[in-house]
RNA sequence: GGCGCGAUGGCAGAGUGGUUAUGCAGCGGCCUGCAAAGCCGUCUACGUCGGUUCGAUUCCGGCUCGCGCCUCCA
């Protein structure tokens, strides 16, 4: 049985779906005004893994990952670039999809854009107003009255008093309480028409939090199973989502909240504001995308993940071991879940998505495969790897891939043929010279009774 | 200041009240013309001080250090 660490309870809980056999899940996606960085890659990969495991466990999953395409930073960036909001967001949505695809991330069931849901947001704001949670502030923004919502602070484990004690925000003009947040931003003169929508409260645009409540409730219903996102969204974003959704519906919004840990650089959070981020495409220029996915899944999703080149190098070595074991075995065949390794894998994954332990099982399978050369083990290894979105390529293709390939495969093959001839003539000095020369170029040769093969170091 | 998380071997990273994580790297052996890969074996651990216990890396408390959230952020 699956257990999930629920941020709401701060402990692992047995996962029971609202509707038997079915899971409805929402994850906060990207704000599209720039390239995705490795922190985004982690959210993408982690929740892709979660969905894959839920499906492998027999659930029918509806997975929604939204796109925020209206926001202060988007407006500013579009103005800087002298382009329309739509042109900017369309472009970066395209780039995001390229990155996600490279990382082996499957498409979500729905990928709603905030700007397509403004009507739903207005409807929800209207309900909040009728239920007494929303008010029109002095500067004509519509705000949410945090103290009216009894459960406020439950997700982040904060009380309103705690939050006020640490108050660091300038009190925005006209708010009843500094912690109140904006549901609807009143339009400003200088803003382009593209960011103005008509509403009962005047022309304006939605606040950030309302979009997720509106899209989630519309696509998944007012009560669904899992809501995920990065740790930094726990407060205030997710706290506010709960306040909005439950304030509007009157019932429970989400049963399980999941938050993934940060990617770090030199033990500091990787973030745009700190400027210490690497974009996904930077990294994919130097490392194989599957290596990056492997690197992400090698740590537990809630732990911090330190990024560095040496860690990626290490990940590549490790993944190579798996593919080396798989070399020569045909693809295909389903996982036998009654087999001991598969059971251990299932146990690991059922314990709050324990991918590090699940991967240890993969290495144990590789060892057994190398020892026994039993085809059934190869099927298990590839099959279980596939559950994590790994090991689905041709092993030779993986082992021969990699950056820094000045030598074309034909050249390498030609050198191998020359070396074979030298060996035939028992001219080992010449054979070793060729091998050393290739090694200097990053090519490693491996002799076997069947002939010589090569891979990139 | 408030709230929370973490501290494991050279590096990365799981887990457990008493018996091997796993990977990378190192060392020894087998294999090999020599290598590489693989196999076998092997060395480096559980921040610190107390407590509970027959026994704690694992439970409890103090301390130190690191990190995060409290402001846009995955």
């Amino acid at each position: 049985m699956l257990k999930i660490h629920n941020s709401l309870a701060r402990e692992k809980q047995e996962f029971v779906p609202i509707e038997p056999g079915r899971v409805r899940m929402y994850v906060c996606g990207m704000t599209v005004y720039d390239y995705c960085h490795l922190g985004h890659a982690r959210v993408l990969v982690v929740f892709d893994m979660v969905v894959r495991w839920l499906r492998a466990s027999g659930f029918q999953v509806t997975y929604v990952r939204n796109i925020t395409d209206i926001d202060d930073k988007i407006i500013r960036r579009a103005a800087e670039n002298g382009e329309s909001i739509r042109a900017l967001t369309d472009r970066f949505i395209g780039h995001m999809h390229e990155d996600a695809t490279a990382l082996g991330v499957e498409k979500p069931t729905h990928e709603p854009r905030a700007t397509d849901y403004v009507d739903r947001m207005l409807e929800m704001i209207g309900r909040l107003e009728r239920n007494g949670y929303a008010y029109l502030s002095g500067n004509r923004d519509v705000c949410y009255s945090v103290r009216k919502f009894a459960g406020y602070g439950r997700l982040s484990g904060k009380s309103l008093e705690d939050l006020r004690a640490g108050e660091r925000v300038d009190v925005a003009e006209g708010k009843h309480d500094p912690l109140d947040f904006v549901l609807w931003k009143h339009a400003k003169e200088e803003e382009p028409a593209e960011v103005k929508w008509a509403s009962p409260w005047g022309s304006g645009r939605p606040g950030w939090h309302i979009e997720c409540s509106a899209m989630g409730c519309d696509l998944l219903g007012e009560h669904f199973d899992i809501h995920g996102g990065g740790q930094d969204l726990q407060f205030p974003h997710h706290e506010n989502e709960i306040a909005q959704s439950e304030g509007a519906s009157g019932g429970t919004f989400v049963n399980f909240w999941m938050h993934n840990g940060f990617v770090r650089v030199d033990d500091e959070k990787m973030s745009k504001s700190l400027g210490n981020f690497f974009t996904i495409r930077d990294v994919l220029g130097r490392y194989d995308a599957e290596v990056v996915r492997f690197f992400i899944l090698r740590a537990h999703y809630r732990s911090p993940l330190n990024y560095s080149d040496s860690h990626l190098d290490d990940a590549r070595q490790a993944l190579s071991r798996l593919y080396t074991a798989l070399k020569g075995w045909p693809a295909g065949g389903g996982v036998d879940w009654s087999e001991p390794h598969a059971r251990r894998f299932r146990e690991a994954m059922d314990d709050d998505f324990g991918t590090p332990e699940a991967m240890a099982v993969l290495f144990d399978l590789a060892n057994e495969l190398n020892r026994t050369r039993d085809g059934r083990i190869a099927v298990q290894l590839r099959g279980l790897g596939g559950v994590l979105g790994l090991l689905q390529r041709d092993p030779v293709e993986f082992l021969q891939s990699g950056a820094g390939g000045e030598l074309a495969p034909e050249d390498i093959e030609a050198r191998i043929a020359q070396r074979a001839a030298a060996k035939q003539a028992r001219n080992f000095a010449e054979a070793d010279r060729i091998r050393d020369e290739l090694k200097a170029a990053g090519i490693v040769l491996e002799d076997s009774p069947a002939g010589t093969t090569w891979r990139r170091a």
Side-chain angles (χ1 to χ4, degrees):
Chain A
M1 122 212 349
L2 175 62
K3 286 207 253 176
I4 298 179
H5 179 95
N6 189 350
S7 303
L8 206 49
R10 272 165 279 281
E11 64 177 15
K12 287 182 203 170
Q13 297 179 327
E14 185 185 331
F15 177 71
V16 181
I18 294 165
E19 195 182 319
R22 210 175 147 204
V23 178
R24 286 168 288 152
M25 168 166 144
Y26 185 98
V27 169
C28 290
M30 263 36 91
T31 300
V32 284
Y33 67 100
D34 207 342
Y35 293 110
C36 293
H37 60 65
L38 238 29
H40 300 118
R42 192 174 191 191
V43 185
L44 253 16
V45 168
V46 160
F47 288 101
D48 178 66
M49 171 278 290
V50 167
V51 171
R52 284 171 187 259
W53 182 244
L54 290 169
R55 290 193 173 132
S57 302
F59 291 108
Q60 186 204 313
V61 182
T62 305
Y63 174 30
V64 176
R65 191 186 65 214
N66 76 291
I67 292 170
T68 298
D69 63 348
I70 177 67
D71 149 271
D72 287 348
K73 280 172 300 214
I74 291 173
I75 294 169
R76 196 182 335 126
R77 182 64 57 87
E80 282 166 13
N81 292 357
E83 64 183 330
S84 71
I85 306 277
R86 188 74 193 193
L88 175 75
T89 55
D90 279 354
R91 184 151 43 87
F92 282 108
I93 288 169
H95 292 317
M96 173 186 74
H97 286 153
E98 290 160 11
D99 292 341
T101 301
L103 291 168
V105 173
E106 291 175 342
K107 287 209 167 308
T109 318
H110 302 286
E111 197 173 35
R113 295 172 68 132
T115 52
D116 289 334
Y117 282 78
V118 175
D119 288 347
R120 286 288 288 133
M121 297 183 218
L122 288 171
E123 194 184 309
M124 188 173 260
I125 295 169
R127 281 167 79 189
L128 286 170
E129 188 177 49
R130 284 194 293 283
N131 292 351
Y133 293 104
Y135 64 90
L136 194 61
S137 77
N139 59 2
R140 300 167 77 189
D141 288 341
V142 181
C143 291
Y144 188 101
S145 184
V146 146
R147 84 186 94 166
K148 294 267 175 63
F149 185 69
Y152 198 79
R154 195 154 82 90
L155 177 65
S156 49
K158 299 171 191 299
S159 68
L160 286 172
E161 290 66 42
D162 291 344
L163 290 163
R164 286 192 184 107
E167 194 57 59
R168 283 200 277 156
V169 208
D170 291 337
V171 179
E173 195 154 334
K175 281 186 184 177
H176 291 358
D177 187 294
L179 294 168
D180 289 350
F181 57 91
V182 178
L183 295 165
W184 186 258
K185 285 189 189 196
H186 189 259
K188 295 187 185 68
E189 286 285 324
E190 67 275 17
E191 288 173 343
E194 209 184 358
V195 303
K196 290 173 182 165
W197 282 264
S199 90
W201 305 277
S203 171
R205 61 189 162 93
W208 175 37
H209 313 293
I210 194 69
E211 63 172 83
C212 287
S213 291
M215 292 187 276
C217 291
D218 189 60
L219 291 163
L220 298 171
E222 289 177 343
H223 180 204
F224 54 90
D225 299 290
I226 300 174
H227 190 126
Q231 226 164 41
D232 44 3
L233 297 184
Q234 190 165 345
F235 188 89
H237 184 55
H238 290 161
E239 194 71 64
N240 292 351
E241 270 189 63
I242 293 173
Q244 293 167 335
S245 305
E246 300 193 350
S249 76
T252 302
F253 178 39
V254 166
N255 284 358
F256 286 81
W257 287 86
M258 293 179 66
H259 294 98
N260 67 273
F262 297 129
V263 175
R264 298 178 175 184
V265 177
D266 296 329
D267 285 316
E268 265 194 329
K269 174 183 172 180
M270 177 182 292
S271 74
K272 295 218 170 148
S273 29
L274 289 172
N276 63 345
F277 64 91
F278 293 85
T279 67
I280 295 175
R281 51 196 55 211
D282 281 344
V283 176
L284 294 187
R286 292 182 299 125
Y287 290 95
D288 186 280
E290 191 175 351
V291 169
V292 177
R293 185 180 175 99
F294 179 93
F295 166 70
I296 290 170
L297 260 15
R298 193 160 62 144
H300 185 86
Y301 76 90
R302 285 189 283 111
S303 303
L305 178 64
N306 235 335
Y307 171 85
S308 76
D309 279 5
S310 67
H311 295 161
L312 267 294
D313 289 338
D314 185 288
R316 176 175 153 82
Q317 285 304 113
L319 187 55
S320 293
R321 173 170 165 78
L322 260 21
Y323 267 120
T324 300
L326 242 20
K327 206 161 83 169
W329 294 103
V335 173
D336 171 8
W337 288 102
S338 66
E339 182 269 335
H341 290 96
R343 289 163 65 159
R344 189 147 74 84
F345 183 97
R346 173 181 291 286
E347 229 172 277
M349 292 299 285
D350 273 348
D351 185 8
D352 195 30
F353 308 97
T355 53
E357 177 68 21
M359 280 169 128
V361 173
L362 262 31
F363 285 97
D364 287 347
L365 279 165
N367 175 263
E368 186 155 333
L369 178 58
N370 287 331
R371 254 182 317 112
T372 64
R373 305 308 293 164
D374 179 341
R376 288 170 301 183
I377 298 297
V379 171
Q380 290 294 84
L381 175 53
R382 201 189 294 268
L384 291 175
V387 171
L388 298 175
L390 299 168
L391 301 179
Q392 300 306 293
R393 287 198 265 164
D394 171 46
V396 172
E397 184 269 316
F398 174 83
L399 294 167
Q400 296 186 346
S401 70
E406 311 82 37
L407 278 173
E410 311 82 68
D411 299 331
I412 297 167
E413 294 297 345
R415 301 300 284 152
I416 288 173
Q418 286 168 16
R419 176 166 168 273
K423 277 175 67 175
Q424 192 73 29
R426 302 200 64 79
N427 182 355
F428 293 121
E430 171 66 3
D432 290 352
R433 194 190 61 73
I434 294 170
R435 187 172 61 197
D436 289 345
E437 184 187 295
L438 286 171
K439 190 178 179 188
I443 305 300
V444 178
L445 299 188
E446 294 175 355
D447 293 338
S448 82
T452 299
T453 57
W454 64 274
R455 65 183 167 87
R456 292 195 197 275

